Amino acid sequence: MSRPLPEIDEALQLDLVAYLDGELEPEQARRVEQLLYNHPAVQEEVRKLEASWDLLEELPQTQVDEQFTQSTVELVIADLTQQLQSQQQALPRQARRWWLLLALVLGVAAFATVAVLDSVWLARERHLSQQLPLLQRLEQYEEVRDIQFLEQMIQQKLVPILPPQPQDWQPRSDPLSKR
Amino acid sequence: MASQQRQPDRYELRDPDVRLMLQVRDDDAAAFEELMLRYQHRVLRVLEHLSPSRSEAEDLTQEVFLRVFRARKSYTPDSKFSTWLFTIVHRVASNARRNQARRREAPLPATPSGELAGGGMEQLVQATTGSMPSRVMAKVEMRQIVRAALTHLNPRQRMAVLLNKFEGMSYADIAETMGVSVSAVRSLLSRARVTLKDVLEPYLDQGRPPRSHNGSGTWASQ
């Protein structure tokens, strides 16, 4: 009893082509072989597919001469040379960028150093200016030679208290001049 | 994870062209020339069937090798060398096709001599074989017919056919080269082979040249 002929549709053609290319799983390949065995129409379809595929072998072999190889090599060398030149041209630009960056870093460092030194010097100057009234009368205070008397003067705020308070910026009036 | 790490070593050990390309990566000019000698005719053969003329195919072949050289430093042996190379070929051919579409030039199928076949299959065959001995004439005629049959395929189908037929690539390798799935390759090849069968059937059965194809669909993407 002959089996019904399957329609040679796209799905079957997919399987037939994959079968010819050896790309089917063993189970699928067995199914295709069964179809080929049972249906001459499927055999004919495969024969035509194979025959047209084999005709592609008639296409001429492409020949490439030595000159073509040489010109390709020259093209690659020219490209490489151009690449190197553009890299070399980029070098001064890069160097300039590095110098600018270095100058910027040095500038920032110099500014920071000056700022720190300045603040240290200012603090010292400020301290000296605060001590100035005392220093101006130091000889006179030394002449007193009585610590109790000095302490009394401090308590009465006739002599500046040490250390000076930050808000005491202005030179004080001479306490001894009031005496 | 371990198998992924071993993969490059596998190709390096199995594929001598991968080893050559690794030498190219280390700036070995002789290795590059050797690779060119091994592959230039194969690349040109594929591009010849994807380009409007032989001269354009030659230009594209040179561009392929230029790209190979430029890409040498980033080369990693993750696949067979031929798969990697033909990925570049596919990309170059696709770009050329896009550029040509942008320029809106009339696309015509190429002949071996680099001339363009626009006058129909019969005229073309007659013009080429008119003054030749019959045996040679039959051979030339057959080549012309097969070449013209290829123009009935769209570029993606043609690429899949060329890689499968001339490079002997598996569906998986073609899929990797063209950046599509294996089932897409299966579909491309099936449709291509059915088209070739339909176009070449009159010639195979009765020796008649197939119907002419003006090439208008040859550059269309599928």
Side-chain angles (χ1 to χ4, degrees), chain B residues 7-58:
Chain B
Q7 197 87 325
D9 294 342
R10 189 165 71 91
Y11 288 113
E12 196 176 339
L13 291 171
R14 280 187 184 178
D15 189 345
D17 297 335
V18 163
R19 291 198 291 277
L20 269 179
M21 188 59 210
L22 287 171
Q23 286 174 252
V24 175
R25 189 176 68 179
D26 297 336
D27 294 326
D28 185 336
F32 179 70
E33 201 168 342
E34 177 60 30
L35 271 180
M36 267 187 56
L37 289 171
R38 286 186 191 185
Y39 281 93
Q40 59 186 0
H41 64 284
R42 289 164 63 175
V43 171
L44 183 59
R45 180 169 58 178
V46 169
L47 287 171
E48 224 184 338
H49 294 292
L50 295 167
S51 310
S53 67
R54 162 89 185 201
S55 67
E56 186 158 334
E58 285 182 355

Side-chain angles (χ1 to χ4, degrees), chain A residues 15 21 48 57 69 79, chain B residues 40 70 165 171 186 201:
Chain A
D15 282 349
D21 286 337
K48 286 177 181 171
E57 281 156 26
T69 314
D79 184 69
Chain B
Q40 59 186 0
R70 281 178 183 167
K165 182 69 183 175
Y171 286 11
R186 206 178 147 182
E201 204 170 353

